[in-house]
Amino acid sequence: MEFHVITLFPEMLSALDAGLIGRAQKRGVITVRAHNLRDHGLGNYRQVDDAPYGGGSGMVMRPEPLATAMDEVMARHPGLLRILMTPQGELLDQPLARELGGHQPGLLLVAGRYEGFDERVRSMVDREISIGDYVLSGGELAAMVVIEAVARLVPGVLGNPESLAEESFGTGGVLEYPQYTRPEEFRGMRVPEVLLGGDHAKIRAWREIEARRRTERRRPGLIRSRGKPAT
Ligand code: 6GU
């Protein structure tokens, strides 16, 4: 699967050269490519933004550099789903990440800076996505969050596909159960006895109860009439 990002800061994407996503890139399972919007800037100063019509503070991304940058990427890589990164977009969640992961050959993520995009840019994309209800100064980190969330669902990216099925949200709106490793006692806190016993039916039941209890306490909105409440 291919991930393309149009950005004024292509060097930011190098964070994806580390870890799981970096290894997946080296193995050729996914590709991540940054495209410098400045290459499409206007005039001697390679301008990409301008003052808003009607006045007001801040600068707005001009549509032409974004349009030519997108045209160039789409001409070389046809079929990408075009996504505008904006706090006004639909909220990224695990179902949306899964849906995006099904899009072949991949995604073109458009990251802006400044106060926002010229409204006409919206007509050039397929979707608008936000990663949460807070404001970032640019869409780069948000685009990287989308790539991270989607790429790890691509077959062959994760070493152990079972960990996908077990993690939070994977099975449908329940947080993960508490996990422990060695030592058995740390600063007076003991590992729950049931986990040391080796009774796997008992362990499964304990994990289910703890996962549900934790979800109800921390994220009550996540449980949508799935089963009875924990006690
Ligand atoms: Cl996609 N962009 C910006 N600038 N801020 C955000 C965001 C995106 N998602 C949440 N906050």
Side-chain angles (χ1 to χ4, degrees), residues 1-40:
M1 181 166 188
E2 297 176 29
F3 299 91
H4 297 265
V5 182
I6 291 174
T7 169
L8 286 169
F9 299 98
E11 66 277 11
M12 283 183 74
L13 273 294
S14 63
L16 296 175
D17 293 342
L20 185 85
I21 305 297
R23 282 197 300 279
Q25 286 194 70
K26 285 188 194 101
R27 293 204 313 272
V29 186
I30 60 166
T31 38
V32 179
R33 292 261 292 274
H35 305 271
N36 197 341
L37 180 63
R38 191 66 65 187
D39 296 344
H40 301 270

Side-chain angles (χ1 to χ4, degrees), residues 54-65:
S57 63
M59 299 287 269
V60 176
M61 307 280 297
R62 286 181 62 133
E64 314 96 303

Side-chain angles (χ1 to χ4, degrees), residues 89-221:
E90 60 186 307
L91 276 181
L92 179 68
D93 59 9
Q94 198 61 23
L96 178 53
R98 250 181 253 123
E99 185 186 337
L100 297 176
H103 195 94
Q104 292 300 337
L107 312 177
L108 169 55
L109 303 154
V110 180
R113 288 265 146 182
Y114 314 103
E115 309 300 305
F117 299 97
D118 182 288
E119 187 65 20
R120 293 164 290 188
V121 171
R122 302 209 139 85
S123 69
M124 308 190 300
V125 300
D126 302 299
R127 299 183 89 134
E128 301 180 30
I129 292 178
S130 164
I131 62 162
D133 290 333
Y134 39 81
V135 177
L136 307 171
S137 313
E140 285 79 12
L141 285 172
M144 287 157 68
V145 167
V146 170
I147 294 171
E148 163 85 15
V150 173
R152 57 195 298 291
L153 303 176
V154 171
V157 169
L158 276 193
N160 176 10
E162 277 168 35
S163 53
L164 258 191
E166 281 186 18
E167 68 194 6
S168 296
F169 310 113
T171 48
V174 177
L175 300 181
E176 247 181 290
Y177 51 76
Q179 297 262 44
Y180 295 86
T181 184
R182 289 191 287 185
E184 274 189 38
E185 184 177 331
F186 171 69
R187 296 189 176 175
M189 298 174 280
R190 289 197 51 79
V191 174
E193 215 50 46
V194 60
L195 299 179
L196 306 173
D199 182 337
H200 292 288
K202 237 177 167 174
I203 290 171
R204 209 176 308 119
W206 180 87
R207 284 176 167 167
E208 211 168 289
I209 287 165
E210 291 301 319
R212 189 180 300 196
R213 175 179 292 153
R214 173 166 285 191
T215 307
E216 266 158 12
R217 294 230 169 105
R218 299 188 182 190
R219 302 289 305 277

